[in-house]
Amino acid sequence: MKGFTSILVVALAYEIAATSIIPGHSEREPLEHVAQFHSGFQPVSPTNSDSSLLTTCNGVLNTTTGGISYKAFEPIAANERCVWTIRGGNAGGFSLNVFSIGSLGSRDTQVIATCLRHRENATHVLVNETGPVSGVGTCNVLVITLASGSDINNATGFVLEYSVLTAGYLSSSSRDYILNGGDAAIIPYPSTSARYESYELTTFAILPVPDSRTNVLYIKGELDGLTCWDTLAFIRFNASSTLPTKWQNEGRLCGNVLSEIMSNNDLILLTFDSDMSVVGTGFNLAVTASVSSTCSL
């Protein structure tokens, strides 16, 4: 029997040639047996934090009030990628206020607030000026992204603060993962119980590796039904997009999909939503990087 890495390479070559989870998906050869071959792949735990202020690249904020102060008075690096997930405990809405946004070097350098609402598609807001940020008043989770281009022109970072406006209803089992696409990783979800819970909204942010392509292999265990009651959404960052926020909602994996490959040469954000009833055993995610020219989306 081949090792997990070899099987994953074969799966990548086979599956990436077909249409992905964008409408038109058709199931290929089931790959659920791949999950049992973990050679070289390390298990990943959720990212946790009890801090109310983050000053380093990447992190999770769970306090009801807090902030991010990242390189406010020093240059950011070219082609930098940072992701912060703001959960605020269990929020039903936020206020977000920007004190400093620095001097963005070009249109390819942005700060973006992604609003995640349970059972809804993500929305993305460009943060390009000081003051209150609109469009976040009914979000359950916020994802803040800093993405710099190659021409930074002495651009500096930013300072912002948030407050939870209303309490949410999400399951306390909801989790947040931030991991490097270059670290071969296996994520069994849920990781601490046999079944996930109703009303979950869990995030998986995967950071890119320079000159490489990040590949995420999804293998379904059990999701509610064969339709989209419980889903895994795929959102990818496209630095060459003409859209100001660069994030693109690509589609959702539902209970009828046994396996899928999701790839990108930049940031990947996955979100898992479960509805009000009937839970399953979840899924496995295997994350690895390959040479950029090996495959394309």
Side-chain angles (χ1 to χ4, degrees), residues 95-99 127 129-136:
S95 66
L96 190 63
N97 191 50
V98 179
F99 292 110
V127 179
E129 60 184 6
T130 58
V133 177
S134 61
V136 300

Side-chain angles (χ1 to χ4, degrees), residues 43-288:
V44 174
S45 299
T47 304
N48 297 306
S49 172
D50 57 3
S51 174
S52 62
L53 176 66
L54 294 179
T55 59
T56 57
C57 186
N58 309 314
V60 173
L61 288 159
N62 278 316
T63 54
T64 55
T65 60
I68 302 169
S69 178
Y70 183 67
K71 293 186 176 179
F73 305 106
E74 59 181 293
I76 59 175
N79 301 310
E80 191 166 0
R81 297 291 185 269
C82 296
V83 174
W84 299 268
T85 302
I86 303 176
R87 184 168 292 272
N90 195 340
F94 292 90
S95 66
L96 190 63
N97 191 50
V98 179
F99 292 110
S100 171
I101 197 63
S103 54
L104 300 184
S106 73
R107 65 180 181 86
D108 293 325
T109 300
Q110 297 125 330
V111 177
I112 302 160
T114 295
C115 172
L116 302 178
R117 300 181 183 91
H118 185 239
R119 305 284 296 164
E120 296 185 23
N121 289 331
T123 58
H124 314 284
V125 180
L126 184 63
V127 179
N128 59 0
E129 60 184 6
T130 58
V133 177
S134 61
V136 300
T138 60
C139 307
N140 296 115
V141 177
L142 290 177
V143 177
I144 307 297
T145 307
L146 168 69
S148 65
S150 56
D151 177 20
I152 55 173
N153 192 28
N154 296 318
T156 56
F158 65 95
V159 179
L160 60 78
E161 69 170 3
Y162 71 90
S163 295
V164 172
L165 296 177
T166 58
Y169 56 88
L170 296 178
S171 166
S172 60
S173 294
S174 302
R175 295 289 183 263
D176 300 292
Y177 294 78
I178 300 177
L179 61 150
N180 192 314
D183 299 331
I186 184 81
I187 306 174
Y189 191 83
S191 60
T192 57
S193 64
R195 307 179 80 82
Y196 57 85
E197 295 185 0
S198 297
Y199 293 112
E200 285 198 22
L201 174 53
T202 287
T203 69
F204 306 86
I206 305 170
L207 305 170
V209 180
D211 301 318
S212 296
R213 190 169 188 83
T214 302
N215 307 293
V216 182
L217 172 61
Y218 161 88
I219 306 123
K220 182 176 78 92
E222 180 189 11
L223 299 183
D224 181 7
L226 296 179
T227 52
C228 292
W229 301 117
D230 302 335
T231 66
L232 185 75
F234 173 33
I235 310 167
R236 71 185 183 101
F237 192 88
N238 181 4
S240 62
S241 172
T242 57
L243 297 173
T245 60
K246 310 299 183 183
W247 279 111
Q248 298 177 349
N249 300 338
E250 297 292 352
R252 290 178 178 269
L253 291 167
C254 304
N256 62 325
V257 179
L258 297 180
S259 60
E260 184 59 276
I261 294 290
M262 294 164 283
S263 296
N264 194 28
N265 59 4
D266 212 312
L267 290 162
I268 291 175
L269 177 62
L270 305 174
T271 65
F272 174 67
D273 286 271
S274 60
D275 70 354
M276 68 182 71
S277 65
V278 186
V279 295
T281 57
F283 51 88
N284 283 269
L285 297 175
V287 180
T288 189

Side-chain angles (χ1 to χ4, degrees), residues 8-54:
L8 181 58
V9 169
V10 173
L12 283 169
Y14 178 70
E15 295 226 3
I16 203 67
T19 303
S20 187
I21 64 175
I22 306 169
H25 171 93
S26 59
E27 185 59 48
R28 274 82 70 189
E29 179 184 0
L31 297 175
E32 57 264 53
H33 63 284
V34 175
Q36 57 187 298
F37 300 101
H38 293 175
S39 176
F41 281 66
Q42 300 299 315
V44 174
S45 299
T47 304
N48 297 306
S49 172
D50 57 3
S51 174
S52 62
L53 176 66
L54 294 179

